[in-house]
Amino acid sequence: MMWDSIPLFQFGDMQEIIQNFVRVHVDAPGMEEGAPVFPVGYQYPSLDQLADMIPCILQYLNFSSIIGVGVGAGAYILSRFALTHPDTVEGLVLINIDPNAKGWMDWAAHKLTGLTSSIPEMILGHLFSQEELSGNSELIQKYRNIVMHAPNLDNIELYWNSYNNRRDLNLERGGDVTLKCPVMLVVGDQAPHEDAVVECNSKLDPTQTSFLKMADSGGQPQLTQPGKLTEAFKYFLQGMGYMASSCMTRLSRSRTASLTSAASIDGNRSRSRTLSQSSESGPLPSGPPGHTMEVSC
């Protein structure tokens, strides 16, 4: 559940980004390697409560602001934190975010699935598309083995239940409840979370939001397309004023992420942005760099 973003930061081209920031990886309780199994009856924190723990982490590390990178539940937790602490969050990269609470139909479908499927099977169905699972690639085999043989599977089930009981973020474009920082939304084409991420994009400020739908990347683009996602991340950071001297060599030589207009420019109004993978473009304008850190969930 929480390991999803780790391989991305181990990717070779990502090292150029990491050397410019202090990186902190945050595990949800009981998700860390070697975590003991919680006792029977343990009340696992809600996702809202997990978001409320982040200020203590930042205070301990003496950080005043962050750029958050989260996948799935981690993306939701970081978004909840950003809504309550907007001055602390400089930017967010949200992969596979679902900002909505489960409706009655979703709840019923989840209960029915639980009668015929094991927890590992339901988690795999959440992470990957049915096409990917049927293809049973090396990546699928690896993660199936990880989930099936996880020594803390009972803990994972508690976290899974908290995720499925999440509250609606109630995001509203132009309303009081919205993410005020720059946001990059990422999802794979035909991924299980595609519709949820598209809906999230429709609820955010188009002048502050970049939407990256990655072709041929499946349910976990940070695992299947780390190179393209890294380049998009560099663009995102440059738009925030960081890494002004970074060279987009991969972009200049090959077909990777580029910036295209998703809305026309009207006078001095900024345009919304959609990141695609079909053409080339120069880096975003950059301003003076500041101090920040990255939190991955």
Side-chain angles (χ1 to χ4, degrees):
M1 299 282 284
M2 295 294 278
W3 58 72
D4 291 314
S5 62
I6 294 176
L8 177 64
F9 290 94
Q10 295 173 342
F11 184 68
D13 288 355
M14 183 62 79
Q15 304 313 305
E16 181 184 3
I17 295 176
I18 291 177
Q19 69 184 6
N20 289 282
F21 298 90
V22 176
R23 178 196 166 207
V24 176
H25 177 79
V26 182
D27 281 315
M31 297 300 107
E32 69 275 15
E33 186 175 352
V37 176
F38 290 123
V40 176
Y42 176 80
Q43 184 62 48
Y44 198 84
S46 67
L47 296 197
D48 288 8
Q49 290 173 324
L50 292 177
D52 290 339
M53 296 177 186
I54 295 180
C56 296
I57 299 172
L58 301 185
Q59 183 178 18
Y60 176 79
L61 296 172
N62 195 29
F63 286 118
S64 59
S65 63
I66 65 168
I67 297 173
V69 181
V71 181
Y76 178 99
I77 292 168
L78 287 170
S79 297
R80 176 66 71 183
F81 172 71
L83 290 174
T84 54
H85 299 80
D87 295 336
T88 305
V89 182
E90 293 189 42
L92 290 172
V93 177
L94 307 175
I95 305 171
N96 295 337
I97 184 172
D98 188 342
N100 303 316
K102 280 187 174 294
W104 283 107
M105 293 297 293
D106 295 323
W107 180 85
H110 176 72
K111 289 297 183 182
L112 289 173
T113 302
L115 296 175
T116 58
S117 302
S118 65
I119 291 297
E121 289 173 332
M122 287 193 289
I123 291 174
L124 288 169
H126 169 78
L127 295 175
F128 301 99
S129 68
Q130 287 303 312
E131 183 179 353
E132 289 178 285
L133 293 174
S134 299
N136 200 31
S137 65
E138 184 177 337
L139 176 67
I140 298 299
Q141 293 178 39
K142 173 185 175 181
Y143 273 82
R144 179 176 280 118
N145 182 66
I146 290 174
V147 176
M148 291 288 188
H149 299 95
N152 62 336
L153 184 58
D154 289 343
N155 295 355
I156 294 175
E157 182 175 358
L158 293 174
Y159 184 35
W160 170 248
N161 290 335
S162 284
Y163 176 73
N164 285 314
N165 289 313
R166 65 191 179 278
R167 292 195 303 140
D168 200 307
L169 289 178
N170 291 314
L171 299 173
E172 182 182 0
R173 177 174 291 183
D176 295 332
V177 181
T178 190
L179 297 174
K180 296 179 170 58
C181 63
V183 178
M184 184 169 79
L185 299 174
V186 181
V187 70
D189 193 22
Q190 303 300 317
H193 322 282
E194 182 179 357
D195 290 343
V197 180
V198 169
E199 182 178 351
C200 183
N201 183 53
S202 72
K203 295 180 177 180
L204 297 179
D205 181 355
T207 67
Q208 289 277 74
T209 307
S210 299
F211 179 37
L212 176 62
K213 183 187 291 188
M214 303 186 68
D216 304 320
S217 61
Q220 302 294 310
Q222 76 282 5
L223 302 178
T224 57
Q225 301 280 5
K228 294 178 180 179
L229 185 51
T230 297
E231 292 299 326
F233 191 19
K234 288 180 183 178
Y235 267 134
F236 181 69
L237 292 172
Q238 285 193 325
M240 295 174 59
Y242 292 102
M243 301 181 65
S245 61
S246 177
C247 204
M248 299 297 168
T249 54
R250 182 184 296 271
L251 281 172
S252 64
R253 292 197 304 256
S254 63
R255 180 180 67 89
T256 51
S258 67
L259 203 63
T260 62
S261 173
S264 61
I265 300 178
D266 181 11
N268 293 325
R269 186 178 64 182
S270 299
R271 64 182 178 181
S272 65
R273 297 171 298 180
T274 299
L275 288 166
S276 70
Q277 302 164 41
S278 59
S279 60
E280 297 179 3
S281 175
L284 292 170
S286 59
H291 173 71
T292 189
M293 62 168 262
E294 176 268 324
V295 177
S296 60
C297 295

